[in-house]
Amino acid sequence: MVVIEVVRGDITEENVDAVVTAANESLLGGSGVDGAVHRAAGPRLAEAGAAIGPCPPGDAMATPAFDLDPPVRHIIHTVGPVWEGGDQGEAETLASCYRRCVQVADELGARSMAFPAIATGVYGYPADQAARIAVATLRSTPTRVKQIRLVAFDQETCERLTVALREQ
Ligand code: APR
């Protein structure tokens, strides 16, 4: 059974098999968590992203982790929904991001993975709703991954995820 935990920190310092980044469709790199992941993994990450992209919202695609320290071997790039008020299918797209990342991790044979709070930064998804979707989707997606770490960069996200994990 998968163990899901919430931690506060920088996802580029996680010791897991696969790190998820909240990318844009180009997979060429951006700001926020994607900027941090690209800086840590080095310039080959953007080249690898260009080779497999674009990635539509709700989907996920993997590349090597390049300069990230072991045990990290894979970066899973997913593209969240841009928040437009909630009636444009944002919840379904966000759930699909979490589900597809776990499926890709399974295909790669990863046993541990770390997620950022997808779509809650630049893309504007409300943190409390996003946390509930993250936890509900991860709990209901069958997987061989043993450990999932939800990495919160700020205190509010950490609290939202902790509440969602406790209540669901
Ligand atoms: N580690 C973990 N989480 C982080 C880090 C980090 N180093 N840096 C930022 N975050 C957090 C943010 O605080 C936020 O809670 O990641 C969450 C997602 O925020 P964004 O990175 O802005 O991602 P998103 O809202 O999905 O927007 C994606 O931003 O960077 C661009 O190319 C990306 O255009 C795309 C858009």
Side-chain angles (χ1 to χ4, degrees), residues 25-113:
E25 293 184 46
S26 76
L27 304 189
L28 294 175
S31 58
V33 68
D34 204 32
V37 168
H38 275 260
R39 277 192 298 279
R44 288 177 293 170
L45 188 61
E47 289 169 22
I52 59 169
C55 178
D59 202 357
M61 296 177 171
T63 64
F66 298 110
D67 297 343
L68 275 175
D69 289 332
V72 184
R73 287 178 289 130
H74 311 286
I75 294 173
I76 301 175
H77 309 247
T78 191
V79 181
V82 177
W83 179 257
E84 294 181 68
D87 57 2
Q88 301 296 313
E90 292 96 326
E92 290 77 8
T93 303
L94 186 61
S96 176
C97 288
Y98 283 94
R99 203 163 40 239
R100 284 288 302 132
C101 285
V102 169
Q103 289 167 351
V104 169
D106 273 336
E107 288 163 16
L108 295 165
R111 290 293 176 265
S112 57
M113 65 191 300

Side-chain angles (χ1 to χ4, degrees), residues 9-11 22-24 30-34 36 117 119-123 153-154:
D10 178 346
I11 204 165
N24 59 58
S31 58
V33 68
D34 204 32
T120 65
V122 173
Y123 282 179
F153 201 50
D154 57 84

